Amino acid sequence: MSICINSIPPPFLLPNNHPNSLSFLPSSSFISSSVTLRSRSTSSPPRLLPLSLSATDMDTGAGLSLFPLHRCKTIHLVRHGQGIHNVEGDENYKAYMSPEYFDAHLTPLGWQQVDNLRKHVQTCGIAKRIDLVIASPLLRTLQTAVGVFGGEGYTDRMDVVPLMVANAGNSSCAAISSLNCPPFIAVELCREHLGVHPCDRRRNINDYQFLFPAVDFSLIESDEDTLWKADVRETIEEVAARGLKFMNWLWTRKEKEIAIVTHSGFLFHTLSAFGNDCHPLVKKEIGKHFANCELRSMVIVDRSMIGTGYLTTNYPGRIPSGLDLPSDVADKKTEKGPDTNSDL
C-alpha cells in the first residue's frame, strides 16, 4: 500500500468544512505509471486515460488530477497492538474505566501482532523508506513503534543506547536496538481520546525516557500528564480538531515518508474529517476503524503552497544554456557549424 515516486494522484480529499489546504488520500489510489491511471472506484481495475478526453472531461467526468510530487507526503498510519485494556474493553466498554489499566501495555498477543507487522514492513520495503517514526507517548504505542520499526540484534554497548530496554512494560522482551533504523520522536498531539479512561493517561516522561532511551521526548513540554483529566473527556470535535492540528504540524516536517503509531479513537475521529468530496467508497476506506496493529498508507497533498520544497528528481532542462531546437534542426546545425545569423 505504499506510494511510488513517479505516481499520479487522483482527486484531492478535503477535510469537512475546513479551510486548510492539506488533503488526505489512501496511497493505494496511487500507481507507479505516468500513463495508466486508476479510476475513482476502488473496485475498478487500472485503465488507460483516453487521449481524446477534453479538459472538461478531466475536471468532471474522469475525476483525475495531476499534482507535483514535492507537494505530497506519504504517511503510514498504525494502530498499536492489543493492549491489556482491549481484552475486556472490546467486550465491555465500562472496563476502560478500570484503574488497573493505567497506561496499558501490550499483551502477549499484542507483541505477536507487532512481530507480524514488523515482518510485513520489512518484506514490502516500507522499513527501508521511512525517514521518521512518530509515536503517541503511551506505553502501548511506544512498544508497538519500536517493536515494528526498531533495529535488529541489540548488544550492550556504551556508545549506543537501545530504543527499548529489556522487559519494558512487563513485556518479557529483549532490548531493541536503535541501530540501522529511522529516528523516533514522541508527540502528544496524536494521543488517544483524552480524559476519564485511565488506560489513556500517561506516566511521567522521565519514566518513559528510562524505558525507551533512544526515543526523542523533547517535544513534550511537561514531565507530568497535564492533558488527561479524571472527570473531563474530550469531545469528538476536540479530538478531530487536535487531529487536524497534528496533520498540519506533520506537513511542516522535512521528512517525506513518516510512520505514525497512535490509537483507534484518534485515527477514527481525525480521518472522519476527510473525504467528503470523493467517491463514497474512498471516504469509507479512509475513515473505517483500525484493527490492532493495522497499518494503512496515506498521502497528504499540499494544495496551496504551504510548503515550497524543491524536488530533487526534477530537472530544469536546457543545461548548458543555449537554443532549445528540435533534434533534427539541431543535428543539421551541428553538421554545418554555428550560424550566428540564424533566428531559430
Side-chain angles (χ1 to χ4, degrees):
M1 285 186 65
S2 57
I3 184 176
C4 296
I5 292 301
N6 296 317
S7 298
I8 301 176
F12 324 115
L13 310 187
L14 295 175
N16 299 348
N17 303 319
H18 196 264
N20 156 325
S21 62
L22 296 183
S23 304
F24 220 0
L25 300 168
S27 70
S28 59
S29 298
F30 283 57
I31 57 174
S32 58
S33 169
S34 60
V35 177
T36 306
L37 302 173
R38 189 177 300 279
S39 80
R40 295 185 74 179
S41 171
T42 55
S43 62
S44 301
R47 60 183 175 81
L48 290 180
L49 179 67
L51 297 179
S52 60
L53 277 180
S54 67
T56 302
D57 291 331
M58 291 281 287
D59 289 340
T60 57
L64 300 169
S65 301
L66 290 175
F67 214 78
L69 182 62
H70 69 283
R71 303 199 183 281
C72 305
K73 191 186 295 284
T74 304
I75 59 175
H76 304 283
L77 300 172
V78 179
R79 182 192 176 191
H80 62 79
Q82 185 192 64
I84 57 171
H85 63 307
N86 293 137
V87 177
E88 185 179 355
D90 287 353
E91 300 295 330
N92 176 18
Y93 186 76
K94 292 182 179 180
Y96 288 119
M97 297 292 296
S98 173
E100 68 180 284
Y101 296 142
F102 163 67
D103 192 19
H105 59 78
L106 295 182
T107 65
L109 175 59
W111 278 106
Q112 183 179 343
Q113 293 169 337
V114 166
D115 290 340
N116 290 338
L117 181 55
R118 180 183 183 85
K119 293 174 184 176
H120 168 73
V121 299
Q122 291 176 339
T123 300
C124 73
I126 290 176
K128 294 181 179 179
R129 298 199 307 272
I130 289 175
D131 304 312
L132 177 71
V133 178
I134 295 173
S136 160
L138 288 170
L139 193 53
R140 58 192 181 272
T141 41
L142 290 165
Q143 288 176 321
T144 301
V146 300
V148 172
F149 300 106
E152 298 277 2
Y154 176 74
T155 55
D156 192 8
R157 291 171 48 177
M158 294 296 293
D159 59 331
V160 180
V161 295
L163 273 173
M164 187 183 83
V165 300
N167 196 38
N170 300 317
S171 63
S172 300
C173 292
I176 296 175
S177 175
S178 60
L179 293 173
N180 302 315
C181 64
F184 288 69
I185 61 172
V187 177
E188 291 219 276
L189 278 174
C190 63
R191 281 179 61 175
E192 182 58 296
H193 206 145
L194 291 167
V196 181
H197 295 172
C199 56
D200 300 328
R201 183 183 181 185
R202 71 164 170 82
R203 60 193 69 200
N204 290 351
I205 295 301
N206 284 334
D207 295 335
Y208 291 129
Q209 288 176 322
F210 174 77
L211 298 174
F212 303 93
V215 175
D216 182 359
F217 293 93
S218 63
L219 295 180
I220 299 178
E221 297 178 358
S222 172
D223 181 44
E224 297 182 357
D225 188 356
T226 59
L227 300 178
W228 186 90
K229 308 295 181 183
D231 56 349
V232 179
R233 189 154 173 84
E234 274 186 305
T235 65
I236 290 174
E237 293 76 15
E238 287 171 336
V239 179
R242 177 161 57 87
L244 291 174
K245 184 177 180 180
F246 172 75
M247 297 305 301
N248 279 281
W249 170 83
L250 200 62
W251 186 257
T252 68
R253 301 290 309 188
K254 67 180 186 299
E255 297 86 1
K256 299 297 290 184
E257 194 150 352
I258 301 174
I260 298 119
V261 183
T262 179
H263 308 265
S264 61
F266 174 81
L267 286 166
F268 179 76
H269 296 306
T270 299
L271 299 182
S272 293
F274 293 85
N276 269 5
D277 61 343
C278 68
H279 191 285
L281 289 178
V282 177
K283 180 171 176 58
K284 183 178 179 180
E285 181 182 353
I286 292 173
K288 67 180 180 179
H289 277 284
F290 276 65
N292 283 124
C293 238
E294 180 178 357
L295 178 150
R296 288 187 221 153
S297 299
M298 303 273 183
V299 177
I300 308 174
V301 176
D302 171 18
R303 305 201 315 155
S304 67
M305 308 245 335
I306 290 176
T308 56
Y310 176 73
L311 184 62
T312 57
T313 56
N314 285 357
Y315 184 74
R318 297 185 65 175
I319 295 179
S321 60
L323 296 173
D324 197 3
L325 303 173
S327 59
D328 56 339
V329 177
D331 291 341
K332 291 179 181 179
K333 289 184 68 64
T334 301
E335 294 172 2
K336 295 179 180 179
D339 182 358
T340 58
N341 296 322
S342 173
D343 292 330
L344 292 175

